[in-house]
Amino acid sequence: MNFDDISTIVYQPKNDHEPGFIYLMEAESYHGLIPGAWLRRCKIGLSRNPEARLDNFHRNQPPCNVKILRTIYVENMAEVEGELHQQFSQCNVELIKSKEWFDFNAVQFMMVNWEFEKRSLYVFSLSELPIKLIIFSMIWLLFVGAIAGRLTSQPPMQPQKQLAK
């Protein structure tokens, strides 16, 4: 590689105010004899690729089983992540390297899941519909169209002449 090749590499800073994913990870078996019974240690973060983030996390963090519980697609990752961090700031765990870990009790855990649900952008795909529903809907539309066509193609009724007395 020569200097010309190196000079063409342009550094582009990450912009977290773009569309991407907000994830909720859990460190399993972190609290107590019955993990998750009272507290759940969770991480709220952002990533363009949550699965790659989880793999990177496993390679660079202490050995504990961490899994992704939820991901949502949002238009502005930094904004939504900041809102969630602020909303659950009372649950924040004081760590030196990270401000994204939270200890949730059962009620708080339900609340964070509800917040994820409210903020998720659902992208509808036809592949999610069962084929029978699609076929039934098409037949129903043809039936309604046929009835509407028959009603509009009939000649208007002639008014009856009143009989003279």
Side-chain angles (χ1 to χ4, degrees):
M1 182 181 287
N2 61 30
F3 181 74
D4 292 334
D5 293 336
I6 295 172
S7 65
T8 59
I9 298 172
V10 178
Y11 172 73
Q12 293 184 358
K14 289 194 308 184
N15 181 4
D16 291 338
H17 293 280
E18 293 179 343
F21 294 92
I22 303 296
Y23 60 80
L24 179 65
M25 287 185 189
E26 180 181 14
E28 292 183 313
S29 306
Y30 189 81
H31 288 293
L33 297 172
I34 306 172
W38 292 278
L39 287 177
R40 297 176 87 156
R41 175 73 47 102
C42 296
K43 182 179 191 301
I44 299 172
L46 59 85
S47 177
R48 285 167 190 75
N49 185 342
E51 292 298 326
R53 175 68 183 106
L54 181 63
D55 290 341
N56 185 32
F57 189 80
H58 282 146
R59 284 193 305 272
N60 297 314
Q61 296 296 323
C64 65
N65 191 19
V66 177
K67 67 178 182 177
I68 295 176
L69 300 176
R70 294 196 69 160
T71 59
I72 56 171
Y73 186 78
V74 296
E75 289 297 323
N76 186 332
M77 294 184 297
E79 181 181 314
V80 174
E81 181 195 37
E83 290 171 0
L84 290 169
H85 284 188
Q86 179 64 34
Q87 185 169 356
F88 295 102
S89 61
Q90 75 279 6
C91 305
N92 192 262
V93 177
E94 296 292 327
L95 298 174
I96 295 170
K97 292 185 176 183
S98 177
K99 305 281 187 227
E100 296 185 335
W101 285 95
F102 302 84
D103 281 340
F104 296 124
N105 64 32
V107 172
Q108 293 161 333
F109 186 72
M110 286 187 341
M111 289 172 58
V112 77
N113 275 291
W114 172 247
E115 290 300 323
F116 265 67
E117 190 64 34
K118 285 190 333 187
R119 286 176 168 79
S120 68
L121 293 176
Y122 183 71
V123 180
F124 180 73
S125 169
L126 283 179
S127 65
E128 295 175 14
L129 284 177
I131 191 69
K132 289 180 182 178
L133 178 62
I134 294 171
I135 293 171
F136 175 76
S137 298
M138 292 173 72
I139 292 171
W140 184 80
L141 284 173
L142 287 172
F143 177 73
V144 169
I147 290 175
R150 292 194 73 133
L151 291 176
T152 58
S153 66
Q154 290 179 354
M157 298 179 85
Q158 298 293 330
Q160 291 181 353
K161 295 181 182 178
Q162 290 187 352
L163 298 173
K165 292 187 181 179

